[in-house]
Amino acid sequence: MQPISSEIETVQPERFCVIIPTYNNERTLQRIIDSVLEYTTDVIIVNDGATDGTIAILKKYPQIIQIHHLANAGKGVALRNGFKKAVKLNFDYAITIDSDGQHFASDIPKFIEAIQNEGEALLIGSRNMMQEGVPKKSSFGNNFSNFWFKFETGISLEDTQSGFRLYPLHKIPKKYFTTKFELEIEIIVRSAWKGIVVKNIPIQVLYDPTERVSHFRPFRDFSRISVLNTVLVVIALVYIKPRDFFKRIKKKGLTQYLVENILENSDSNYKKAASIALGVFIGIAPFWGFQTVLVLFLAVVFRFNKAISFAFSNISFPPFIPFIIYGSLKIGGYFVKNNDPLFLDHSITFDNLKNNVLQYIIGSFILATIMAVLFGLIGYLVLTFFSTLKNKN
């Protein structure tokens, strides 16, 4: 095989292959293949049921590994089958490049050099979306995707939609749920959740309207991506962020964690106190089963300290629950007048159950508000005291 680049001979290029998924891109396909072959002969073409002249073009390249789908199954399926083939052939990394002509094969060495110099990662080519000729819908879609990727993973990227990527095949998830364009989002989010480094490297890009054929269907595919992001956000809030939170606490210890995220955090004392108040309010209020999701969502919306808000939302941990319930019912009793006992004894009827539930809900919101203000105020005073003490020293 030909070396990928004379400048990176120590990279062991046999560990890399290039996957080209294609569907009805006959105007640009041959140019892309020829340009990739200048860097490596380890190429896997996935013909996703093309109905144009794609097969005739691919017959010119019998030396290239080819996968043919009888019908169009979607880019996601094409990539998944390409990954499976690459793993079967014992490749460690796969570089994917679109066949619509927007990418330059001359950027392939950049991906390999990044792995060699900076360590293993999932690399995404970062396009200059501000350059002339870039469709506005592409720029909007990329910004939309970047926002949700950061929300779901906490990682800021400039480009999350580029199809020019390098995947560490043995690190990324083995099974996927999506089959179309949204697979590329699923891969990077779930890879980040596994602890894989996901980052951008700059690449060139060309949007030639006379050659480029895009199969992205704005309404249908954008809807599928939105559904996927909804699912990923829920998973992130319900499982990933709490999991990472407890991992950090376990690694550093509760005391050290609180010191770093409260006393030594760069946020203002006001923002820290507001984060404490938010966490206490959500922890006491009757948002059963949704406290984690809600507190993290609101912390992001209001740009509070997520770690602090989440930590104080756990005020309703088991030893405190009886006191919270009792306080809520007691306070609620001043606003919901009924002759039923504070705690139901023997005869439970729908009416007295309804009255006590209403009593509890109203009381818990009032108690949550009181405690949130109290904790927030105390937190602000304590933080201000330590800040003053620190400045004196």
Side-chain angles (χ1 to χ4, degrees):
M1 71 169 271
Q2 301 175 8
I4 290 181
S5 169
S6 59
E7 300 177 358
I8 51 173
E9 293 176 347
T10 59
V11 179
Q12 296 180 330
E14 66 273 7
R15 301 171 63 194
F16 296 82
C17 69
V18 176
I19 299 175
I20 308 176
T22 186
Y23 173 66
N24 288 354
N25 285 122
E26 62 180 357
R27 283 183 286 186
T28 54
L29 178 60
Q30 184 166 336
R31 172 162 58 85
I32 292 298
I33 295 175
D34 289 340
S35 63
V36 169
L37 288 174
E38 293 180 13
Y39 295 89
T40 180
T41 54
D42 291 323
V43 180
I44 300 174
I45 299 279
V46 185
N47 166 28
D48 190 27
T51 57
D52 60 357
T54 293
I55 292 182
I57 293 172
L58 294 182
K59 286 182 178 179
K60 302 177 183 179
Y61 302 93
Q63 76 277 25
I64 292 178
I65 299 167
Q66 300 181 21
I67 300 173
H68 295 274
H69 296 169
L70 297 179
N72 180 246
K75 186 178 183 181
V77 174
L79 288 174
R80 286 159 62 172
N81 288 339
F83 293 153
K84 289 178 182 177
K85 189 67 173 179
V87 170
K88 188 176 181 180
L89 294 172
N90 296 318
F91 289 109
D92 294 323
Y93 301 92
I95 297 174
T96 61
I97 184 170
D98 291 339
S99 63
D100 59 4
Q102 68 168 292
H103 300 144
F104 292 81
S106 57
D107 283 326
I108 287 177
K110 292 182 180 179
F111 289 89
I112 301 172
E113 288 169 358
I115 293 295
Q116 179 186 30
N117 298 329
E118 301 174 26
E120 190 165 76
L122 192 163
L123 304 176
I124 304 173
S126 178
R127 304 161 293 178
N128 180 6
M129 302 303 289
M130 303 304 294
Q131 74 178 47
E132 185 178 354
V134 176
K136 290 184 178 180
K137 63 180 181 180
S138 295
S139 181
F140 169 79
N142 190 52
N143 290 333
F144 177 86
S145 179
N146 295 348
F147 170 81
W148 287 113
F149 178 76
K150 182 176 181 180
F151 186 94
E152 292 152 3
T153 66
I155 301 171
S156 296
L157 293 180
E158 297 177 352
D159 193 344
T160 52
Q161 290 196 317
S162 172
F164 202 174
R165 305 179 175 194
L166 180 146
Y167 294 98
L169 293 171
H170 300 292
K171 299 291 185 179
I172 60 176
K174 300 295 187 294
K175 297 182 179 180
Y176 303 96
F177 307 107
T178 52
T179 60
K180 307 293 183 182
F181 286 98
E182 68 272 17
L183 176 78
E184 291 177 308
I185 296 174
E186 181 188 351
I187 294 177
I188 61 174
V189 171
R190 292 179 57 199
S191 294
W193 287 349
K194 289 184 64 178
I196 298 171
V197 175
V198 180
K199 59 184 179 181
N200 286 134
I201 62 170
I203 60 168
Q204 307 169 77
V205 65
L206 172 66
Y207 283 89
D208 187 346
T210 63
E211 281 191 332
R212 185 171 182 262
V213 177
S214 174
H215 301 292
F216 186 85
R217 300 157 297 181
F219 178 77
R220 184 179 299 180
D221 289 321
F222 189 78
S223 297
R224 295 173 69 97
I225 290 172
S226 297
V227 170
L228 173 64
N229 277 315
T230 300
V231 173
L232 293 176
V233 164
V234 172
I235 295 173
L237 292 175
V238 173
Y239 174 67
I240 300 298
K241 292 184 182 295
R243 178 202 69 180
D244 293 344
F245 173 77
F246 286 113
K247 279 185 177 180
R248 289 193 293 271
I249 289 181
K250 184 177 180 180
K251 183 177 180 180
K252 296 181 179 180
L254 180 60
T255 302
Q256 181 64 25
Y257 182 83
L258 292 177
V259 167
E260 291 181 1
N261 286 277
I262 297 180
L263 297 180
E264 298 179 356
N265 188 275
S266 60
D267 289 337
S268 67
N269 290 337
Y270 171 79
K271 180 177 286 189
K272 294 175 184 177
S275 302
I276 292 172
L278 174 65
V280 171
F281 179 84
I282 298 299
I284 294 176
F287 299 114
W288 311 293
F290 297 96
Q291 290 170 326
T292 298
V293 174
L294 195 55
V295 75
L296 290 175
F297 175 76
L298 293 176
V300 170
V301 170
F302 294 115
R303 297 184 178 180
F304 288 168
N305 185 304
K306 296 188 291 295
I308 295 176
S309 294
F310 180 75
F312 279 87
S313 70
N314 288 279
I315 190 173
S316 56
F317 67 100
F320 283 1
I321 290 177
F323 299 100
I324 292 173
I325 293 175
Y326 178 82
S328 298
L329 286 168
K330 193 70 174 178
I331 293 174
Y334 292 107
F335 298 90
V336 178
K337 301 300 181 181
N338 63 79
N339 297 320
D340 295 318
L342 187 63
F343 294 102
L344 302 177
D345 294 326
H346 305 292
S347 60
I348 300 179
T349 66
F350 177 78
D351 288 334
N352 61 29
L353 179 62
K354 180 179 66 176
N355 287 336
N356 279 272
V357 169
L358 182 60
Q359 178 182 343
Y360 167 72
I361 291 175
I362 292 176
S364 65
F365 274 113
I366 297 173
L367 178 63
T369 302
I370 294 171
M371 297 303 290
V373 172
L374 182 62
F375 270 74
L377 180 59
I378 293 174
Y380 181 79
L381 294 175
V382 171
L383 290 167
T384 302
F385 171 76
F386 277 103
S387 296
T388 304
L389 196 63
K390 185 178 180 180
N391 291 335
K392 287 182 179 180
N393 295 332

